Amino acid sequence: MKKPFIQVVLLLLAVFSLSTLSAQQQSSFQNIRSYGAVGDGKTLDTKAINDAIEAAVKAGGGTVFFPAGKYLSYSIRLKSNISLYLDQGSTIIAADSSDGGRYDAPDPGPGNKYQDYGHSHWHNSLIWGENLENVSILGPGTIWGKGLSRGFYRNEGWEKIGVNAGVFMWEGGANKAIALKLCRNVIMKDFTILNGGHFGILATGVDNLTIDNLKMDTNRDGIDIDCCQNVRVSNCTINSPYDDAICLKSSFALGYARPTQNVTITNCQVSGYDLGTLHNGTYQRKQFNQVPDQEGPTGRIKFGTESNGGFKNITISNCVFDYCRGLALETVDGGLLEDVTITNITMRDIVNSPFFLRLGGRMRGPKGVAIGKLRRVMISNVVVHNADSHFSTLISGLPNNEIEDVKFNNIRIYYRPIDSPAHTIQTTVPEYERSYPEPQKFGVLPAYGFFIRHVKNIELNNVEISFLGKETRAAFIMDDVNGASLFNVKAQKAGNAPLFNLKNVQQLQLDKVKGIPNRIITKTDKLTF
């Protein structure tokens, strides 16, 4: 008699355990409509969304579910151990603060003068989190930054805020779609961002960050990865005509210098098509006047400009650039930029230098910091078609602060015809030591192919450059270069212009350079050939 009784008790305990587990599983999945979200694109759903997040937190973590609908919202506050899941057909819409509502107030920020407003605050965002762990934003839905400010341009009724900012927004407004500060173990995957404001994603001091399969068509920076470590960006398509698409930074926004390091960027496409035309599939290219520096579409992958902490141990592979600026590696605020490999890149219709390597002395940071270093960079397997020859490939350090140990392998560049009058070509290129680093600042360079200055130990292997029409300039200019090796290099000659224009060059080795006998130039103050 005892045995059947025990079996019944055990069976009841098992049923109770399963029902409890089921209840726990149910409680960890929070549908925002259960908390009052309407999803009509007109009713504010901010409270319902944040209530669902808080319920998931009380349950020990879980998923906050956005079913199909249009959810108008102000600030959404992420919490640890929470995933936001945007289902197919769901859109989170950033509300317009000019209607009288408010986003969360900007946090105090670093309290220094070394960063602009946009980099210095995180809470004034559509979605934000600080000091969190184990956070995800997932799903095939959309984040539309309709009511976000993009900064720089003043509209009727908008107020200027911040110091050194140039940022305009309504009081109580926001300028970022997603902002994370000092978080770890973060995943963002599969969703779309439209019009993300000043930053589609601003991640500052975030470690163990995965960004995968995002689509962005945005009106300023796409993804800014600032002072972050252990980062993987993959399979993303980002159109950002008015600013950078994927931008690594190492600013002073945390109040101290912290490097961005251990980063991979792979299988991504970046572009500068007209805003919205990536999303609608028309890929239009018109003249536009809303780029902050007024120098044409941006849309590139870049390191810098913010570079207090530097960049270390980074690889970029299998990426496509289309109708945008070229690849830029910049350190101008004292940080080290070192140990970088870039491979398997294609570029078309590049509007400035296909490669821009710049070691500068802007030094926006505390006094007493030495000028940084740019060294150990390898770029290989790249095809560039129709690049703007006004700026050539520009590799420039500073006097007594050389760029070091750079290798270009298997590179093919086709430059489009120069259309500037001869008198606009620079005969002497200023150093612009403290200027904002951008190829256009240097003017029309006196070389169409490579302009190399203040560099130590550079190699060009299997490199071929040519132009697609009229050209009058030298292919290569080297100025203050110590240790250069060119192997199997081909350069189209422009009329009576020399292939090489050398100044203060030491230890130059030419081996199988088309049209030039093999030779070693130990030292020359000035030489053309």
Side-chain angles (χ1 to χ4, degrees), residues 16-28:
F16 177 76
S17 298
L18 288 172
S19 64
T20 302
L21 179 61
S22 177
Q24 289 174 342
Q25 290 174 337
Q26 183 67 27
S27 68
S28 68

Side-chain angles (χ1 to χ4, degrees), residues 38-45 69-72 93 146:
V38 177
D40 62 359
K42 301 177 182 178
T43 306
L44 275 173
D45 290 321
K70 298 178 180 179
Y71 303 98
L72 189 67
I93 303 174
K146 183 180 179 181

Side-chain angles (χ1 to χ4, degrees), residues 25-210:
Q25 290 174 337
Q26 183 67 27
S27 68
S28 68
F29 184 89
Q30 310 296 339
N31 188 323
I32 61 172
R33 287 189 179 265
S34 300
Y35 294 85
V38 177
D40 62 359
K42 301 177 182 178
T43 306
L44 275 173
D45 290 321
T46 313
K47 185 177 185 303
I49 295 168
N50 285 312
D51 285 350
I53 291 173
E54 290 298 332
V57 170
K58 290 179 181 178
T63 298
V64 174
F65 181 69
F66 290 72
K70 298 178 180 179
Y71 303 98
L72 189 67
S73 184
Y74 289 108
S75 292
I76 297 169
R77 305 174 193 107
L78 291 174
K79 304 292 183 180
S80 293
N81 303 309
I82 295 298
S83 172
L84 305 185
Y85 188 88
L86 283 59
D87 203 9
Q88 195 73 265
S90 67
T91 302
I92 301 174
I93 303 174
D96 190 340
S97 58
S98 65
D99 293 336
R102 299 183 68 90
Y103 287 86
D104 288 349
D107 42 307
N112 63 57
K113 60 184 179 181
Y114 308 126
Q115 294 309 134
D116 61 25
Y117 185 89
H119 292 88
S120 301
H121 304 280
W122 295 265
H123 296 188
N124 56 328
S125 304
L126 175 58
I127 302 172
W128 69 267
E130 183 174 354
N131 293 311
L132 306 180
E133 60 182 7
N134 308 326
V135 176
S136 302
I137 304 175
L138 310 171
T142 298
I143 297 170
W144 180 17
K146 183 180 179 181
L148 299 177
S149 166
R150 63 180 292 271
F152 281 100
Y153 292 93
R154 184 168 188 162
N155 296 318
E156 183 87 26
W158 290 59
E159 297 298 330
K160 185 173 182 177
I161 59 175
V163 179
N164 262 338
V167 174
F168 296 91
M169 65 176 72
W170 287 99
E171 183 181 359
N175 64 349
K176 292 168 279 285
I178 300 171
L180 299 175
K181 178 185 179 184
L182 295 173
C183 299
R184 60 188 176 92
N185 304 335
V186 175
I187 301 172
M188 295 187 232
K189 188 173 182 181
D190 294 339
F191 55 89
T192 296
I193 292 180
L194 300 177
N195 291 26
H198 193 170
F199 302 91
I201 297 172
L202 175 62
T204 308
V206 177
D207 294 349
N208 301 336
L209 170 62
T210 299

Side-chain angles (χ1 to χ4, degrees), residues 275-291:
L275 182 63
T277 66
L278 172 79
H279 186 251
N280 68 22
T282 59
Y283 311 110
Q284 294 178 21
R285 305 176 180 189
K286 297 178 181 177
Q287 298 293 326
F288 41 115
N289 57 10
Q290 295 187 12
V291 180

Side-chain angles (χ1 to χ4, degrees), residues 109 138 156 159 177 188 193 230 243 276 287 293 307 317 367 382 408 414 423 438 459 482:
L138 310 171
E156 183 87 26
E159 297 298 330
M188 295 187 232
I193 292 180
N230 302 331
D243 223 319
Q287 298 293 326
D293 60 14
S307 49
S317 62
K367 292 182 179 179
V382 182
F408 286 86
Y414 299 83
H423 73 269
E438 191 65 43
E459 294 183 12
N482 186 352

Side-chain angles (χ1 to χ4, degrees), residues 316-328:
I316 301 172
S317 62
N318 304 338
C319 290
V320 173
F321 293 57
D322 192 22
Y323 189 55
C324 60
R325 300 183 193 182
L327 180 74

